[in-house]
Amino acid sequence: MRRTVYVLNGPNLNLLGRRQPEIYGAKTLADVEAECRQAAEAAGLEIVFRQSNAEADLIGWIHEARDEAAAIVINPAAYTHTSVAILDALQAFDGPVIEVHISNVHRREAFRHQSYVSLRADAVIAGLGTAGYRMALRYLGEHALPSS
Ligand code: CA2
């Protein structure tokens, strides 16, 4: 638990690599998971990697992380901009939270500039493509989680 990180992904990210590669790149979510596993191993972290299209699943996993994880990396996808419920769930989590966006949301439509999750996140990574997940894990391993 002390070095377990939940890596949570929101709606439509299961389509990564299959549509809109000009925005989200060519890697699939399975590729991203494999890269996260490599980065976690290098950083001495365990990860639990999950994706759902349902807000309730994401909230349930954030609740589960209260007992099971030391940190959360989350790309809430469209729920970033709409979900007070995900913000409330994250407010009940005690460890570091890093919000990741593959695209630079600030260079896109105005509705993507607002993030409820950022009100809780300790850091936000946007626009680095899928490398943002690896950066988040590396940061947690080096700076935020105690060594075992
Ligand atoms: O840039 C990001 O990571 C986003 O969180 C992605 C969300 C979007 O709603 C956020 O504003 C920014 C969308 C995820 C949908 O991913 C797709 C991937 C391929 C094809 C279609 C959707």
Side-chain angles (χ1 to χ4, degrees):
M1 135 65 152
R2 283 203 318 149
R3 287 179 72 82
T4 299
V5 179
Y6 270 34
V7 182
L8 302 179
N9 294 279
N12 298 307
L13 286 165
N14 54 311
L15 299 177
L16 266 188
R18 312 197 190 285
R19 300 285 301 274
Q20 298 184 270
E22 68 287 359
I23 300 176
Y24 299 116
K27 290 189 174 146
T28 66
L29 193 64
D31 295 331
V32 177
E33 178 173 357
E35 290 182 352
C36 283
R37 291 199 180 284
Q38 274 191 341
E41 193 179 341
L45 303 173
E46 301 272 332
I47 60 165
V48 172
F49 188 99
R50 294 187 182 147
Q51 185 275 332
S52 178
N53 296 323
E55 191 174 22
D57 289 342
L58 294 160
I59 291 166
W61 293 335
I62 294 166
H63 292 172
E64 185 182 294
R66 285 162 46 82
D67 293 324
E68 303 294 334
I72 295 176
V73 172
I74 185 166
N75 182 347
Y79 289 139
T80 306
H81 319 297
T82 65
S83 181
V84 176
I86 288 177
L87 169 62
D88 286 346
L90 289 168
Q91 302 278 29
F93 179 77
D94 286 333
V97 173
I98 302 186
E99 176 182 349
V100 171
H101 297 288
I102 297 166
S103 64
N104 179 359
V105 284
H106 300 289
R107 206 169 64 179
R108 301 182 63 191
E109 303 96 321
F111 68 83
R112 295 186 205 274
H113 302 173
Q114 159 74 18
S115 167
Y116 287 103
V117 170
S118 291
L119 292 169
R120 166 61 181 88
D122 297 289
V124 182
I125 299 173
L128 294 183
T130 55
Y133 291 82
R134 302 199 301 275
M135 301 296 166
L137 290 166
R138 184 171 164 191
Y139 173 80
L140 289 169
E142 288 182 6
H143 300 287
L145 299 182
S147 299
S148 45

